[in-house]
Amino acid sequence: MTSQLKPKPTRALITGGAGFIGSHLAGHLLSLGQRVQIIDDLSTGAMANIEHLKDRPAFKYCIADVRDEPLLAELVDNAEVVYHLAAAVGVRLIVESPVKTIETNVGCTEVVLKLANKKRKKVIIASTSEVYGKNELVPFAEDHDLVLGPTVKARWAYACSKAIDEFLALAYHRARKLPVVVVRLFNTVGPGQTGRYGMVLPTFVRQALSGEPITVFGDGNQSRCFSEVGEVVTALAALAAAPAAEGQVVNVGSRQEISIKELAKLVKKLAGSRSPIKLVPYEQAYAEGFEDMPRRVPDVSKLQSLVGFTPQMGIAEIVQSVIRHYRES
Ligand code: UDP
């Protein structure tokens, strides 16, 4: 498709820019010489994440809801590309706040796409590997079926809300020729991530460093592939600058798989911790009838072919950097 955009955008708007991934993306784009505006309502983001950026002349922040349309319209107007990262995140938050999850995830994306379309701006939509659901056909390729559980189980609302976001973005691309890229983020970790919303690595690191039991949910044989946030945001910026990525859904993640039990052992070892590793039944950790995914591994060949690299940092190095950051903060 044709696009009015320059291949290397220099003015970026990041929704959810005070969140874990958004703030790392802001730092990365600034390091590339871009001007960065963020918008965040601080529902799960934090000023602490952007404290080190606030004095940079090329950085601006705005604390507001993305659904404030007049405000967002102005911000979109001033940007060349919009990275839409604002969303309800974290399995715990999603199970505990189901209405907010659906309203935020669907409502914010509707507004972002509507305004980006009006102003003809490129949009990078952050989706999630959750959309693959219970599919056991690993590695997950972008054209695989989505296998979701029943609507009575709250967890699947997250995947469904993100799938709607994807459908809407792709519809804008198909019907209105809006340049969009949908990125499915796999488990992304690194310095600055909070465990408050249930994410496993920051939780394990906090537990290991404070001598509390390391809580492995279920039998711990479920596995994930963890990628480092610095590598993930590099991929996002590269996808935004790749015309061939427009209209595509792209997995962004690492191929290195580790079981949660092994992750707990690794954190314990690298932290030099004496914390016991404790198995916690899912019903106790989340809610009755909670369903987890046994494996989640991305096929990253599309990412590789579009931008020439995939996240490579090994899990031990990632865990070490998270431990170091936690000790220093
Ligand atoms: N998990 C765990 N202990 C915790 C938090 C999470 O064993 O304190 C497990 C969780 O059940 C899942 C995996 O770790 O199997 C990854 O969880 P996270 O919430 O980080 O991401 P998800 O892959 O579920 O989106």
Side-chain angles (χ1 to χ4, degrees):
M1 69 171 291
T2 54
S3 156
Q4 301 295 314
L5 297 163
K6 294 179 201 139
K8 289 217 167 81
T10 55
R11 279 179 288 128
L13 170 64
I14 306 173
T15 72
F20 165 59
I21 300 176
S23 58
H24 278 273
L25 177 62
H28 176 65
L29 297 179
L30 288 169
S31 77
L32 295 177
Q34 302 194 16
R35 295 222 301 272
V36 177
Q37 166 82 58
I38 69 144
I39 176 167
D40 200 302
D41 69 355
L42 299 184
S43 54
T44 55
M47 287 307 286
N49 289 338
I50 53 167
E51 207 54 54
H52 62 297
L53 303 174
K54 276 164 66 181
D55 292 336
R56 304 273 292 266
F59 179 76
K60 287 202 182 97
Y61 67 95
C62 171
I63 305 306
D65 192 312
V66 166
R67 287 163 290 187
D68 180 340
E69 284 197 36
L71 172 68
L72 193 74
E74 198 181 317
L75 300 184
V76 169
D77 225 2
N78 291 333
E80 285 164 292
V81 62
V82 182
Y83 294 86
H84 177 44
L85 271 62
V89 289
V91 172
R92 174 155 305 147
L93 183 72
I94 280 139
V95 172
E96 285 169 6
S97 311
V99 174
K100 191 170 173 339
T101 297
I102 300 168
E103 287 183 352
T104 305
N105 290 357
V106 179
C108 290
T109 305
E110 268 179 346
V111 172
V112 167
L113 285 167
K114 184 175 88 178
L115 295 177
N117 181 56
K118 211 182 249 173
K119 315 276 181 182
R120 306 306 297 165
K121 300 295 170 75
K122 186 168 194 167
V123 192
I124 314 304
I125 296 282
S127 183
T128 167
S129 55
E130 274 271 325
V131 298
Y132 291 106
K134 297 188 274 186
N135 199 333
E136 290 185 20
L137 195 66
V138 294
F140 299 148
E142 291 86 349
D143 58 356
H144 280 183
D145 286 344
L146 311 184
V147 184
L148 305 182
T151 51
V152 287
K153 294 190 174 169
R155 179 193 188 126
W156 302 112
Y158 179 49
C160 258
S161 65
K162 288 307 228 175
I164 287 287
D165 289 351
E166 293 196 13
F167 276 123
L168 191 60
L170 295 174
Y172 267 105
H173 175 73
R174 224 172 278 129
R176 315 262 170 95
K177 307 228 175 308
L178 184 69
V180 300
V181 186
V182 173
V183 290
R184 287 189 183 151
L185 301 176
F186 282 66
N187 295 67
T188 303
V189 294
Q193 186 178 32
T194 172
R196 209 174 302 137
Y197 307 108
M199 277 78 165
V200 68
L201 183 58
T203 303
F204 282 3
V205 167
R206 184 188 56 74
Q207 291 169 333
L209 291 179
S210 61
E212 288 171 36
I214 300 175
T215 53
V216 170
F217 299 162
D219 62 10
N221 289 323
Q222 72 274 30
S223 68
R224 296 291 187 270
C225 297
F226 294 92
S227 47
E228 207 274 336
V229 64
E231 295 192 301
V232 168
V233 299
T234 302
L236 295 185
L239 284 168
E246 289 174 15
Q248 301 278 337
V249 177
V250 188
N251 287 337
V252 174
S254 148
R255 284 298 307 267
Q256 301 170 65
E257 190 177 4
I258 184 170
S259 75
I260 299 303
K261 198 163 56 187
E262 287 308 312
L263 180 71
K265 287 186 197 157
L266 183 66
V267 170
K268 179 174 159 130
K269 183 173 131 210
L270 294 177
S273 168
R274 305 177 77 163
S275 291
I277 293 175
K278 184 179 161 200
L279 295 184
V280 178
Y282 282 119
E283 308 80 71
Q284 228 169 293
Y286 299 107
E288 196 63 42
F290 181 83
E291 290 184 289
D292 201 9
M293 283 78 139
R295 290 179 77 190
R296 190 190 274 164
V297 182
D299 177 334
V300 284
S301 49
K302 197 193 256 190
L303 176 65
Q304 176 71 42
S305 73
L306 285 168
V307 303
F309 74 93
T310 61
Q312 293 294 327
M313 197 189 281
I315 186 67
E317 199 185 335
I318 298 175
V319 170
Q320 246 149 0
S321 79
V322 173
I323 292 172
R324 204 178 316 119
H325 183 268
Y326 198 94
R327 282 196 167 123
E328 286 164 3
S329 58

PDB file of all heavy atoms in Angstrom, residues 40-60:
ATOM      1  N   ASP A  40      -0.650   8.836  29.418  1.00  0.00           N
ATOM      2  CA  ASP A  40      -0.844   7.707  30.334  1.00  0.00           C
ATOM      3  C   ASP A  40      -1.769   8.176  31.455  1.00  0.00           C
ATOM      4  O   ASP A  40      -1.628   9.309  31.937  1.00  0.00           O
ATOM      5  CB  ASP A  40       0.511   7.283  30.910  1.00  0.00           C
ATOM      6  CG  ASP A  40       0.490   5.876  31.468  1.00  0.00           C
ATOM      7  OD1 ASP A  40      -0.330   5.591  32.382  1.00  0.00           O
ATOM      8  OD2 ASP A  40       1.288   5.046  30.993  1.00  0.00           O
ATOM      9  N   ASP A  41      -2.686   7.334  31.866  1.00  0.00           N
ATOM     10  CA  ASP A  41      -3.577   7.738  32.974  1.00  0.00           C
ATOM     11  C   ASP A  41      -3.065   7.236  34.321  1.00  0.00           C
ATOM     12  O   ASP A  41      -3.746   7.390  35.340  1.00  0.00           O
ATOM     13  CB  ASP A  41      -5.016   7.265  32.719  1.00  0.00           C
ATOM     14  CG  ASP A  41      -5.165   5.754  32.809  1.00  0.00           C
ATOM     15  OD1 ASP A  41      -4.140   5.064  32.984  1.00  0.00           O
ATOM     16  OD2 ASP A  41      -6.304   5.258  32.701  1.00  0.00           O
ATOM     17  N   LEU A  42      -1.892   6.625  34.309  1.00  0.00           N
ATOM     18  CA  LEU A  42      -1.232   6.115  35.520  1.00  0.00           C
ATOM     19  C   LEU A  42      -2.063   5.046  36.241  1.00  0.00           C
ATOM     20  O   LEU A  42      -1.894   4.839  37.438  1.00  0.00           O
ATOM     21  CB  LEU A  42      -0.880   7.259  36.496  1.00  0.00           C
ATOM     22  CG  LEU A  42       0.077   8.327  35.952  1.00  0.00           C
ATOM     23  CD1 LEU A  42       0.417   9.343  37.040  1.00  0.00           C
ATOM     24  CD2 LEU A  42       1.363   7.708  35.405  1.00  0.00           C
ATOM     25  N   SER A  43      -2.964   4.383  35.509  1.00  0.00           N
ATOM     26  CA  SER A  43      -3.739   3.318  36.167  1.00  0.00           C
ATOM     27  C   SER A  43      -2.821   2.143  36.509  1.00  0.00           C
ATOM     28  O   SER A  43      -2.897   1.596  37.603  1.00  0.00           O
ATOM     29  CB  SER A  43      -4.912   2.865  35.297  1.00  0.00           C
ATOM     30  OG  SER A  43      -4.456   2.499  34.017  1.00  0.00           O
ATOM     31  N   THR A  44      -1.954   1.769  35.602  1.00  0.00           N
ATOM     32  CA  THR A  44      -0.917   0.785  35.948  1.00  0.00           C
ATOM     33  C   THR A  44       0.484   1.330  35.672  1.00  0.00           C
ATOM     34  O   THR A  44       1.461   0.763  36.137  1.00  0.00           O
ATOM     35  CB  THR A  44      -1.106  -0.553  35.182  1.00  0.00           C
ATOM     36  OG1 THR A  44      -1.148  -0.264  33.777  1.00  0.00           O
ATOM     37  CG2 THR A  44      -2.366  -1.265  35.601  1.00  0.00           C
ATOM     38  N   GLY A  45       0.567   2.413  34.931  1.00  0.00           N
ATOM     39  CA  GLY A  45       1.870   3.052  34.710  1.00  0.00           C
ATOM     40  C   GLY A  45       2.258   3.854  35.947  1.00  0.00           C
ATOM     41  O   GLY A  45       1.472   3.966  36.889  1.00  0.00           O
ATOM     42  N   ALA A  46       3.459   4.408  35.949  1.00  0.00           N
ATOM     43  CA  ALA A  46       3.925   5.155  37.123  1.00  0.00           C
ATOM     44  C   ALA A  46       4.868   6.262  36.697  1.00  0.00           C
ATOM     45  O   ALA A  46       5.668   6.082  35.774  1.00  0.00           O
ATOM     46  CB  ALA A  46       4.640   4.204  38.084  1.00  0.00           C
ATOM     47  N   MET A  47       4.788   7.405  37.400  1.00  0.00           N
ATOM     48  CA  MET A  47       5.699   8.506  37.112  1.00  0.00           C
ATOM     49  C   MET A  47       7.151   8.069  37.272  1.00  0.00           C
ATOM     50  O   MET A  47       8.038   8.551  36.573  1.00  0.00           O
ATOM     51  CB  MET A  47       5.410   9.694  38.044  1.00  0.00           C
ATOM     52  CG  MET A  47       4.140  10.452  37.723  1.00  0.00           C
ATOM     53  SD  MET A  47       4.029  10.999  36.007  1.00  0.00           S
ATOM     54  CE  MET A  47       5.202  12.342  36.002  1.00  0.00           C
ATOM     55  N   ALA A  48       7.379   7.147  38.208  1.00  0.00           N
ATOM     56  CA  ALA A  48       8.760   6.681  38.435  1.00  0.00           C
ATOM     57  C   ALA A  48       9.377   6.111  37.156  1.00  0.00           C
ATOM     58  O   ALA A  48      10.587   6.220  36.944  1.00  0.00           O
ATOM     59  CB  ALA A  48       8.762   5.624  39.538  1.00  0.00           C
ATOM     60  N   ASN A  49       8.546   5.542  36.292  1.00  0.00           N
ATOM     61  CA  ASN A  49       9.078   4.944  35.051  1.00  0.00           C
ATOM     62  C   ASN A  49       9.617   5.991  34.085  1.00  0.00           C
ATOM     63  O   ASN A  49      10.439   5.666  33.222  1.00  0.00           O
ATOM     64  CB  ASN A  49       7.981   4.143  34.331  1.00  0.00           C
ATOM     65  CG  ASN A  49       7.627   2.862  35.057  1.00  0.00           C
ATOM     66  OD1 ASN A  49       8.426   2.344  35.838  1.00  0.00           O
ATOM     67  ND2 ASN A  49       6.440   2.331  34.790  1.00  0.00           N
ATOM     68  N   ILE A  50       9.109   7.236  34.198  1.00  0.00           N
ATOM     69  CA  ILE A  50       9.547   8.259  33.233  1.00  0.00           C
ATOM     70  C   ILE A  50      10.352   9.383  33.899  1.00  0.00           C
ATOM     71  O   ILE A  50      10.726  10.345  33.246  1.00  0.00           O
ATOM     72  CB  ILE A  50       8.344   8.863  32.445  1.00  0.00           C
ATOM     73  CG1 ILE A  50       7.266   9.374  33.394  1.00  0.00           C
ATOM     74  CG2 ILE A  50       7.779   7.856  31.456  1.00  0.00           C
ATOM     75  CD1 ILE A  50       6.227  10.253  32.699  1.00  0.00           C
ATOM     76  N   GLU A  51      10.610   9.211  35.184  1.00  0.00           N
ATOM     77  CA  GLU A  51      11.333  10.251  35.937  1.00  0.00           C
ATOM     78  C   GLU A  51      12.630  10.642  35.229  1.00  0.00           C
ATOM     79  O   GLU A  51      12.940  11.828  35.088  1.00  0.00           O
ATOM     80  CB  GLU A  51      11.639   9.696  37.346  1.00  0.00           C
ATOM     81  CG  GLU A  51      11.769  10.729  38.439  1.00  0.00           C
ATOM     82  CD  GLU A  51      10.577  11.673  38.548  1.00  0.00           C
ATOM     83  OE1 GLU A  51       9.438  11.178  38.667  1.00  0.00           O
ATOM     84  OE2 GLU A  51      10.803  12.902  38.512  1.00  0.00           O
ATOM     85  N   HIS A  52      13.371   9.643  34.740  1.00  0.00           N
ATOM     86  CA  HIS A  52      14.684   9.906  34.124  1.00  0.00           C
ATOM     87  C   HIS A  52      14.564  10.553  32.736  1.00  0.00           C
ATOM     88  O   HIS A  52      15.567  10.960  32.157  1.00  0.00           O
ATOM     89  CB  HIS A  52      15.480   8.599  34.021  1.00  0.00           C
ATOM     90  CG  HIS A  52      14.808   7.560  33.147  1.00  0.00           C
ATOM     91  ND1 HIS A  52      13.574   7.020  33.452  1.00  0.00           N
ATOM     92  CD2 HIS A  52      15.195   7.005  31.983  1.00  0.00           C
ATOM     93  CE1 HIS A  52      13.239   6.158  32.501  1.00  0.00           C
ATOM     94  NE2 HIS A  52      14.198   6.130  31.603  1.00  0.00           N
ATOM     95  N   LEU A  53      13.322  10.629  32.205  1.00  0.00           N
ATOM     96  CA  LEU A  53      13.141  11.200  30.860  1.00  0.00           C
ATOM     97  C   LEU A  53      12.586  12.620  30.916  1.00  0.00           C
ATOM     98  O   LEU A  53      12.634  13.353  29.928  1.00  0.00           O
ATOM     99  CB  LEU A  53      12.172  10.327  30.049  1.00  0.00           C
ATOM    100  CG  LEU A  53      12.541   8.839  29.885  1.00  0.00           C
ATOM    101  CD1 LEU A  53      11.408   8.092  29.182  1.00  0.00           C
ATOM    102  CD2 LEU A  53      13.842   8.697  29.094  1.00  0.00           C
ATOM    103  N   LYS A  54      12.051  12.988  32.065  1.00  0.00           N
ATOM    104  CA  LYS A  54      11.275  14.228  32.172  1.00  0.00           C
ATOM    105  C   LYS A  54      12.053  15.487  31.799  1.00  0.00           C
ATOM    106  O   LYS A  54      11.471  16.451  31.326  1.00  0.00           O
ATOM    107  CB  LYS A  54      10.693  14.364  33.578  1.00  0.00           C
ATOM    108  CG  LYS A  54       9.386  13.605  33.726  1.00  0.00           C
ATOM    109  CD  LYS A  54       8.967  13.390  35.147  1.00  0.00           C
ATOM    110  CE  LYS A  54       8.616  14.627  35.900  1.00  0.00           C
ATOM    111  NZ  LYS A  54       8.238  14.312  37.302  1.00  0.00           N
ATOM    112  N   ASP A  55      13.350  15.478  32.007  1.00  0.00           N
ATOM    113  CA  ASP A  55      14.137  16.683  31.701  1.00  0.00           C
ATOM    114  C   ASP A  55      14.644  16.716  30.257  1.00  0.00           C
ATOM    115  O   ASP A  55      15.296  17.678  29.860  1.00  0.00           O
ATOM    116  CB  ASP A  55      15.337  16.785  32.656  1.00  0.00           C
ATOM    117  CG  ASP A  55      14.873  17.060  34.073  1.00  0.00           C
ATOM    118  OD1 ASP A  55      13.753  17.609  34.222  1.00  0.00           O
ATOM    119  OD2 ASP A  55      15.594  16.696  35.024  1.00  0.00           O
ATOM    120  N   ARG A  56      14.369  15.667  29.509  1.00  0.00           N
ATOM    121  CA  ARG A  56      14.872  15.646  28.127  1.00  0.00           C
ATOM    122  C   ARG A  56      14.004  16.583  27.274  1.00  0.00           C
ATOM    123  O   ARG A  56      12.764  16.466  27.247  1.00  0.00           O
ATOM    124  CB  ARG A  56      14.791  14.210  27.558  1.00  0.00           C
ATOM    125  CG  ARG A  56      15.542  13.170  28.401  1.00  0.00           C
ATOM    126  CD  ARG A  56      16.991  13.052  28.030  1.00  0.00           C
ATOM    127  NE  ARG A  56      17.172  12.474  26.717  1.00  0.00           N
ATOM    128  CZ  ARG A  56      17.378  11.175  26.500  1.00  0.00           C
ATOM    129  NH1 ARG A  56      17.407  10.324  27.509  1.00  0.00           N
ATOM    130  NH2 ARG A  56      17.577  10.732  25.266  1.00  0.00           N
ATOM    131  N   PRO A  57      14.633  17.526  26.545  1.00  0.00           N
ATOM    132  CA  PRO A  57      13.844  18.490  25.770  1.00  0.00           C
ATOM    133  C   PRO A  57      12.948  17.828  24.719  1.00  0.00           C
ATOM    134  O   PRO A  57      11.892  18.374  24.381  1.00  0.00           O
ATOM    135  CB  PRO A  57      14.908  19.369  25.093  1.00  0.00           C
ATOM    136  CG  PRO A  57      16.221  19.004  25.688  1.00  0.00           C
ATOM    137  CD  PRO A  57      16.082  17.741  26.446  1.00  0.00           C
ATOM    138  N   ALA A  58      13.332  16.668  24.224  1.00  0.00           N
ATOM    139  CA  ALA A  58      12.544  16.013  23.172  1.00  0.00           C
ATOM    140  C   ALA A  58      11.422  15.150  23.739  1.00  0.00           C
ATOM    141  O   ALA A  58      10.734  14.443  22.998  1.00  0.00           O
ATOM    142  CB  ALA A  58      13.464  15.166  22.296  1.00  0.00           C
ATOM    143  N   PHE A  59      11.238  15.199  25.072  1.00  0.00           N
ATOM    144  CA  PHE A  59      10.242  14.342  25.713  1.00  0.00           C
ATOM    145  C   PHE A  59       9.125  15.175  26.342  1.00  0.00           C
ATOM    146  O   PHE A  59       9.380  16.152  27.033  1.00  0.00           O
ATOM    147  CB  PHE A  59      10.921  13.503  26.805  1.00  0.00           C
ATOM    148  CG  PHE A  59       9.976  12.592  27.546  1.00  0.00           C
ATOM    149  CD1 PHE A  59       9.508  11.425  26.961  1.00  0.00           C
ATOM    150  CD2 PHE A  59       9.548  12.905  28.830  1.00  0.00           C
ATOM    151  CE1 PHE A  59       8.628  10.586  27.645  1.00  0.00           C
ATOM    152  CE2 PHE A  59       8.671  12.068  29.517  1.00  0.00           C
ATOM    153  CZ  PHE A  59       8.216  10.915  28.923  1.00  0.00           C
ATOM    154  N   LYS A  60       7.893  14.767  26.074  1.00  0.00           N
ATOM    155  CA  LYS A  60       6.748  15.444  26.702  1.00  0.00           C
ATOM    156  C   LYS A  60       5.805  14.391  27.254  1.00  0.00           C
ATOM    157  O   LYS A  60       5.640  13.334  26.626  1.00  0.00           O
ATOM    158  CB  LYS A  60       5.987  16.268  25.673  1.00  0.00           C
ATOM    159  CG  LYS A  60       6.690  17.526  25.248  1.00  0.00           C
ATOM    160  CD  LYS A  60       5.633  18.493  24.687  1.00  0.00           C
ATOM    161  CE  LYS A  60       6.244  19.771  24.196  1.00  0.00           C
ATOM    162  NZ  LYS A  60       6.478  19.800  22.776  1.00  0.00           N
TER     163      LYS A  60
END
